[in-house]
Amino acid sequence: LLCLWEGWWCVLFGVSKTAALLLQLLLGYSLALGVYVLARRYASCSGALGAAMLLILTLPYRQSLSWVMAEHLTAVLVFAAAVAFARYLGGPGLVAGQLFGLLAALALLVKGSASPLVLLPLISVLIARRFAVLLRLDFWLSALPVIFLAVPWYSFWIRFASPNSGSIGRSVESGAWMPGLEYGPVVLVSALIGFVLLSKRDPYVATLAGLVGSYAVAPFWIGAFREGRHMLPAIAGAAVLASGVWGRLKRPELLVGCCLGLSWWLTPGTVGFAPERFRSWAQGIPDLGAILVSGSGTEEGAVVAAIAEREPKPRRVVFRAGRVLATSGWNGERYRLLVM
């Protein structure tokens, strides 16, 4: 789905690095806008703006803005699906349930990191204690879009997956649950306090807490769930919950400023990597023939980007083989970059 989205974008605005980064910027700030709009339910304008800024200051958010990857589109769709389910909890109905299922299916078609949505309904119902919806037919029918749209694709794709992608033991051993704590400590602490202060019967509070909870347990059953960028939807939900802290104050500006300053101080300033070595490798690649690139996801993408910078009009085929040929780790662990 990301390829289709980017294809139409390039048809409209041309094929260039600027157009690709503008698309990432549009998706990223759409997510921040969604956080602001939801946070206005619990805080003033300044408090809601502070919630959006907390999201923007996190390292996974800023890194993903400079990477042409699927994280921001996935996060936008997952966040929209969570909002749709909150509306369903507030007033159950077939339309609201099917909207949630459709958005969840689209998110899954973008990237498998949306799979924690499977747990979102049950966790949200448990937090809100609205167990009556479990007896409604439209609650279970909301899974139909996922079954008819996403399941066939994953049934086809799973045969090409890395054997490490389903390793629960490896995931837990490597501390894969840490990215959310490592990259957003101020967001998560504020979210915990906000969750305690806000009403659990509120469908939006329950759903956003369910979103954070479903992503918190995801690394224990999804082996490839190892990086902070995979946590973007949960960080967005946590940022909205954090606004519950400031909503209790008449003048929250001072506390908002302190939280933003602390978040800025705790967040590493480097969001990228030095591209010089990748550009030098690209300069030494022959002009003709196909190229096989094997390495981490970041290294492979950087080499492809460096080649694209040198050759605005594609003249070759570049195969990203790291995830097919790798046997020692997942997504960069113990890899050695190889360009052939």
Side-chain angles (χ1 to χ4, degrees), residues 85-103:
F85 188 76
R87 294 189 64 179
Y88 174 82
L89 275 185
L94 181 62
V95 175
Q98 291 302 301
L99 179 60
F100 164 70
L102 177 61
L103 290 170

Side-chain angles (χ1 to χ4, degrees), residues 11-315:
V11 167
L12 294 175
F13 300 102
V15 180
S16 67
K17 183 197 302 183
T18 302
L21 292 178
L22 282 176
L23 175 60
Q24 294 300 107
L25 189 67
L26 174 65
L27 293 171
Y29 282 97
S30 296
L31 182 63
L33 178 62
V35 169
Y36 172 83
V37 171
L38 274 189
R40 283 290 284 131
R41 296 174 59 92
Y42 311 108
S44 63
C45 180
S46 58
L49 184 61
M53 286 300 299
L54 273 181
L55 170 68
I56 292 173
L57 286 176
T58 58
L59 185 60
Y61 182 94
R62 293 189 289 129
Q63 280 181 328
S64 298
L65 283 181
S66 60
W67 297 346
V68 183
M69 299 180 71
E71 269 61 43
H72 274 299
L73 180 57
T74 305
V76 169
L77 290 173
V78 169
F79 194 76
V83 173
F85 188 76
R87 294 189 64 179
Y88 174 82
L89 275 185
L94 181 62
V95 175
Q98 291 302 301
L99 179 60
F100 164 70
L102 177 61
L103 290 170
L106 293 177
L108 286 167
L109 287 174
V110 174
K111 194 167 185 178
S113 57
S115 52
L117 278 174
V118 174
L119 302 177
L120 173 66
L122 295 178
I123 298 178
S124 302
V125 168
L126 180 63
I127 293 173
R129 296 186 179 182
R130 302 196 179 195
F131 302 109
V133 300
L134 297 177
L135 303 178
R136 295 181 59 94
L137 181 61
D138 50 33
F139 176 84
W140 301 103
L141 288 179
S142 63
L144 288 180
V146 175
I147 293 173
F148 286 109
L149 294 178
V151 170
W153 165 249
Y154 279 92
S155 299
F156 167 76
W157 170 84
I158 197 67
R159 70 187 69 180
F160 304 106
S162 165
N164 293 318
S165 61
S167 174
I168 296 177
R170 182 185 296 271
S171 172
V172 176
E173 281 179 10
S174 63
W177 53 276
M178 285 300 291
L181 298 176
E182 181 180 352
Y183 294 124
V186 177
V187 181
L188 294 181
V189 171
S190 301
L192 179 60
I193 299 173
F195 175 69
V196 172
L197 296 176
L198 293 171
S199 171
K200 314 305 180 294
R201 300 287 293 178
D202 186 313
Y204 288 91
V205 173
T207 303
L208 292 173
L211 180 64
V212 176
S214 62
Y215 272 80
V217 301
F220 294 93
W221 60 285
I222 306 175
F225 217 86
R226 300 172 56 89
E227 299 184 33
R229 58 192 172 92
H230 296 144
M231 306 293 289
L232 267 179
I235 297 175
V240 177
L241 293 176
S243 65
V245 179
W246 308 321
R248 297 299 182 96
L249 304 175
K250 293 183 178 179
R251 298 296 298 273
E253 289 79 8
L254 179 60
L255 182 58
V256 170
C258 291
C259 289
L260 293 178
L262 184 61
S263 180
W264 177 266
W265 181 64
L266 292 175
T267 303
T270 302
V271 299
F273 49 86
E276 289 77 12
R277 59 175 177 146
F278 300 108
R279 290 200 180 104
S280 64
W281 286 339
Q283 293 295 331
I285 293 175
D287 290 335
L288 300 176
I291 300 173
L292 175 66
V293 180
S294 178
S296 71
T298 302
E299 289 174 328
E300 289 179 355
V303 171
V304 173
I307 295 172
E309 280 187 344
R310 191 187 75 170
E311 304 171 1
K313 294 183 179 180
R315 293 181 296 170

